[in-house]
PDB file of all heavy atoms in Angstrom:
ATOM      1  N   GLU A 719       5.799  14.334   1.176  1.00  0.00           N
ATOM      2  CA  GLU A 719       4.418  13.843   1.154  1.00  0.00           C
ATOM      3  C   GLU A 719       3.724  14.230  -0.148  1.00  0.00           C
ATOM      4  O   GLU A 719       2.936  13.451  -0.704  1.00  0.00           O
ATOM      5  CB  GLU A 719       3.645  14.400   2.355  1.00  0.00           C
ATOM      6  CG  GLU A 719       4.135  13.910   3.708  1.00  0.00           C
ATOM      7  CD  GLU A 719       3.955  12.417   3.901  1.00  0.00           C
ATOM      8  OE1 GLU A 719       3.115  11.819   3.195  1.00  0.00           O
ATOM      9  OE2 GLU A 719       4.650  11.833   4.753  1.00  0.00           O
ATOM     10  N   MET A 720       4.005  15.438  -0.649  1.00  0.00           N
ATOM     11  CA  MET A 720       3.400  15.874  -1.908  1.00  0.00           C
ATOM     12  C   MET A 720       3.911  15.029  -3.072  1.00  0.00           C
ATOM     13  O   MET A 720       3.138  14.633  -3.959  1.00  0.00           O
ATOM     14  CB  MET A 720       3.694  17.353  -2.138  1.00  0.00           C
ATOM     15  CG  MET A 720       3.080  18.272  -1.093  1.00  0.00           C
ATOM     16  SD  MET A 720       3.477  20.016  -1.335  1.00  0.00           S
ATOM     17  CE  MET A 720       2.415  20.404  -2.739  1.00  0.00           C
ATOM     18  N   ILE A 721       5.208  14.723  -3.068  1.00  0.00           N
ATOM     19  CA  ILE A 721       5.769  13.868  -4.114  1.00  0.00           C
ATOM     20  C   ILE A 721       5.175  12.463  -4.016  1.00  0.00           C
ATOM     21  O   ILE A 721       4.875  11.814  -5.027  1.00  0.00           O
ATOM     22  CB  ILE A 721       7.299  13.820  -3.991  1.00  0.00           C
ATOM     23  CG1 ILE A 721       7.900  15.203  -4.242  1.00  0.00           C
ATOM     24  CG2 ILE A 721       7.896  12.806  -4.960  1.00  0.00           C
ATOM     25  CD1 ILE A 721       9.391  15.283  -4.004  1.00  0.00           C
ATOM     26  N   ARG A 722       4.993  12.018  -2.796  1.00  0.00           N
ATOM     27  CA  ARG A 722       4.399  10.696  -2.581  1.00  0.00           C
ATOM     28  C   ARG A 722       2.982  10.647  -3.153  1.00  0.00           C
ATOM     29  O   ARG A 722       2.582   9.671  -3.805  1.00  0.00           O
ATOM     30  CB  ARG A 722       4.380  10.397  -1.087  1.00  0.00           C
ATOM     31  CG  ARG A 722       3.944   9.002  -0.708  1.00  0.00           C
ATOM     32  CD  ARG A 722       4.203   8.777   0.779  1.00  0.00           C
ATOM     33  NE  ARG A 722       3.834   7.430   1.150  1.00  0.00           N
ATOM     34  CZ  ARG A 722       2.605   7.076   1.531  1.00  0.00           C
ATOM     35  NH1 ARG A 722       1.657   7.989   1.602  1.00  0.00           N
ATOM     36  NH2 ARG A 722       2.327   5.832   1.851  1.00  0.00           N
ATOM     37  N   ARG A 723       2.223  11.717  -2.940  1.00  0.00           N
ATOM     38  CA  ARG A 723       0.864  11.790  -3.459  1.00  0.00           C
ATOM     39  C   ARG A 723       0.860  11.816  -4.991  1.00  0.00           C
ATOM     40  O   ARG A 723       0.036  11.153  -5.631  1.00  0.00           O
ATOM     41  CB  ARG A 723       0.177  13.048  -2.915  1.00  0.00           C
ATOM     42  CG  ARG A 723      -1.230  13.295  -3.450  1.00  0.00           C
ATOM     43  CD  ARG A 723      -2.146  12.149  -3.154  1.00  0.00           C
ATOM     44  NE  ARG A 723      -3.511  12.410  -3.632  1.00  0.00           N
ATOM     45  CZ  ARG A 723      -4.426  11.464  -3.820  1.00  0.00           C
ATOM     46  NH1 ARG A 723      -4.124  10.195  -3.573  1.00  0.00           N
ATOM     47  NH2 ARG A 723      -5.625  11.782  -4.250  1.00  0.00           N
ATOM     48  N   CYS A 724       1.798  12.555  -5.570  1.00  0.00           N
ATOM     49  CA  CYS A 724       1.915  12.590  -7.029  1.00  0.00           C
ATOM     50  C   CYS A 724       2.174  11.198  -7.589  1.00  0.00           C
ATOM     51  O   CYS A 724       1.611  10.805  -8.619  1.00  0.00           O
ATOM     52  CB  CYS A 724       3.034  13.540  -7.451  1.00  0.00           C
ATOM     53  SG  CYS A 724       2.633  15.288  -7.251  1.00  0.00           S
ATOM     54  N   GLY A 725       3.032  10.444  -6.934  1.00  0.00           N
ATOM     55  CA  GLY A 725       3.318   9.090  -7.381  1.00  0.00           C
ATOM     56  C   GLY A 725       2.095   8.201  -7.334  1.00  0.00           C
ATOM     57  O   GLY A 725       1.867   7.376  -8.232  1.00  0.00           O
ATOM     58  N   GLU A 726       1.284   8.356  -6.287  1.00  0.00           N
ATOM     59  CA  GLU A 726       0.076   7.547  -6.180  1.00  0.00           C
ATOM     60  C   GLU A 726      -0.916   7.890  -7.289  1.00  0.00           C
ATOM     61  O   GLU A 726      -1.523   7.001  -7.892  1.00  0.00           O
ATOM     62  CB  GLU A 726      -0.557   7.767  -4.805  1.00  0.00           C
ATOM     63  CG  GLU A 726       0.280   7.229  -3.654  1.00  0.00           C
ATOM     64  CD  GLU A 726      -0.297   7.594  -2.300  1.00  0.00           C
ATOM     65  OE1 GLU A 726      -1.236   8.433  -2.273  1.00  0.00           O
ATOM     66  OE2 GLU A 726       0.187   7.069  -1.286  1.00  0.00           O
ATOM     67  N   LEU A 727      -1.103   9.205  -7.547  1.00  0.00           N
ATOM     68  CA  LEU A 727      -2.024   9.612  -8.605  1.00  0.00           C
ATOM     69  C   LEU A 727      -1.525   9.179  -9.976  1.00  0.00           C
ATOM     70  O   LEU A 727      -2.306   8.741 -10.829  1.00  0.00           O
ATOM     71  CB  LEU A 727      -2.209  11.134  -8.572  1.00  0.00           C
ATOM     72  CG  LEU A 727      -2.974  11.683  -7.363  1.00  0.00           C
ATOM     73  CD1 LEU A 727      -2.946  13.207  -7.364  1.00  0.00           C
ATOM     74  CD2 LEU A 727      -4.410  11.176  -7.365  1.00  0.00           C
ATOM     75  N   ASN A 728      -0.213   9.287 -10.179  1.00  0.00           N
ATOM     76  CA  ASN A 728       0.358   8.873 -11.460  1.00  0.00           C
ATOM     77  C   ASN A 728       0.170   7.375 -11.685  1.00  0.00           C
ATOM     78  O   ASN A 728      -0.079   6.927 -12.804  1.00  0.00           O
ATOM     79  CB  ASN A 728       1.840   9.237 -11.498  1.00  0.00           C
ATOM     80  CG  ASN A 728       2.469   8.954 -12.848  1.00  0.00           C
ATOM     81  OD1 ASN A 728       2.045   9.478 -13.865  1.00  0.00           O
ATOM     82  ND2 ASN A 728       3.496   8.107 -12.858  1.00  0.00           N
ATOM     83  N   ALA A 729       0.283   6.591 -10.611  1.00  0.00           N
ATOM     84  CA  ALA A 729       0.087   5.140 -10.733  1.00  0.00           C
ATOM     85  C   ALA A 729      -1.363   4.818 -11.105  1.00  0.00           C
ATOM     86  O   ALA A 729      -1.628   3.861 -11.837  1.00  0.00           O
ATOM     87  CB  ALA A 729       0.471   4.456  -9.431  1.00  0.00           C
TER      88      ALA A 729
END
Side-chain angles (χ1 to χ4, degrees):
E719 294 296 339
M720 296 178 74
I721 296 174
R722 187 170 182 272
R723 176 58 178 162
C724 287
E726 293 174 350
L727 291 173
N728 185 59

